[in-house]
Amino acid sequence: MTAQRTYGGISADARRAQRRTALLEAALEIIGTQGLAKLTVSGLCTRAGLNERYYYESFDSRDAVLTALIDGIAEELAAVIVTSLHTAPADTRAKAHAAITAGIHLLTDDPRKAEVALVAGMATPELRARTTETVRVFARLVATEGVEFYGITDPEPDPVIDFRATYLVGGLVQTLTGWLRGDLPISRDELIEHTTDVFVLLGEDLARRLG
């Protein structure tokens, strides 16, 4: 039994996880460099250097692969944003600038991630629903961080907080998508600065209204 569970000192579960990671890395490369239309089971397995049976070990559809990719990128985004917020100076603009810079850099330093998160994520109704839920999650993160930063102690915070957070995150997604497509002729640094301006403006205004 032990021989069946381990091979070369690696457990069956660990090998399965390695194969899944290899498939996801291959999918990111294919989508990010060739486009979603090129993502096929055979192409994915060839790229990952795996037999097709290992694909079905982890995924049952192309949407499942994309969902896993989107979720993984969202986790990376959340991690870098939270880290930047908690290490930035206790100043509204400094925190907003740090979080926005971290998020935009993660997506644009590796354009494949932006292609998956912002383009492929809108390919089907199921993926659009997943993307919408991801936006909600980040909006809740923004709202929670804002409530904590501004010291709002109301046990039932005003719904306008969630409204503005959703507006900001959703607007940023659309703006970043347009920028990546070349619709906004500004530099990345300018994109970050202008986005920071909007976040600070709406955040400070809301804090005054609720203060």
Side-chain angles (χ1 to χ4, degrees), residues 3-207:
Q4 292 177 347
R5 288 197 301 269
T6 62
Y7 181 82
I10 303 175
S11 70
D13 286 345
R15 293 200 306 275
R16 188 177 302 112
Q18 288 176 346
R19 290 192 290 267
R20 185 176 187 275
T21 297
L23 287 166
L24 289 174
E25 289 177 348
L28 178 64
E29 178 64 15
I30 291 170
I31 297 169
T33 60
Q34 302 176 48
L36 181 59
K38 296 296 185 180
L39 184 66
T40 63
V41 173
S42 61
L44 180 59
C45 292
T46 298
R47 182 84 194 183
L50 294 170
N51 187 288
E52 286 190 21
R53 70 186 177 91
Y54 291 124
Y55 170 88
Y56 295 104
E57 172 185 69
S58 296
F59 306 106
D60 59 10
S61 67
R62 188 174 72 163
D63 275 10
V65 176
L66 285 166
T67 297
L69 275 176
I70 291 168
D71 288 351
I73 293 169
E75 289 173 6
E76 288 184 71
L77 273 172
V80 299
I81 288 171
V82 169
T83 297
S84 65
L85 282 170
H86 292 174
T87 55
D91 169 79
T92 304
R93 186 174 185 85
K95 285 190 175 294
H97 190 273
I100 291 163
T101 298
I104 289 179
H105 272 252
L106 185 138
L107 289 175
T108 57
D109 284 346
D110 185 349
R112 300 175 307 168
K113 293 179 179 178
E115 183 69 21
V116 169
L118 302 176
V119 180
M122 303 301 289
T124 68
E126 293 77 13
L127 290 169
R128 287 196 291 274
R130 189 71 168 199
T131 299
T132 297
E133 178 55 31
T134 300
V135 169
R136 291 196 189 102
V137 169
F138 278 93
R140 286 194 289 270
L141 172 62
V142 169
T144 299
E145 293 290 339
V147 166
E148 180 179 336
F149 178 78
Y150 290 112
I152 298 172
T153 57
D154 189 335
E156 295 186 10
D158 195 310
V160 74
I161 296 174
D162 286 333
F163 165 77
R164 292 206 181 191
T166 301
Y167 183 87
L168 287 168
V169 174
L172 176 53
V173 168
Q174 293 300 316
T175 300
L176 183 55
T177 300
W179 181 77
L180 288 165
R181 289 174 175 166
D183 297 337
L184 297 172
I186 58 176
S187 69
R188 183 170 68 170
D189 286 344
E190 289 174 323
L191 174 67
I192 290 170
E193 292 300 325
H194 294 326
T195 302
T196 300
D197 289 341
V198 174
F199 270 68
V200 171
L201 178 65
L202 290 185
E204 291 287 303
D205 175 72
L206 184 58

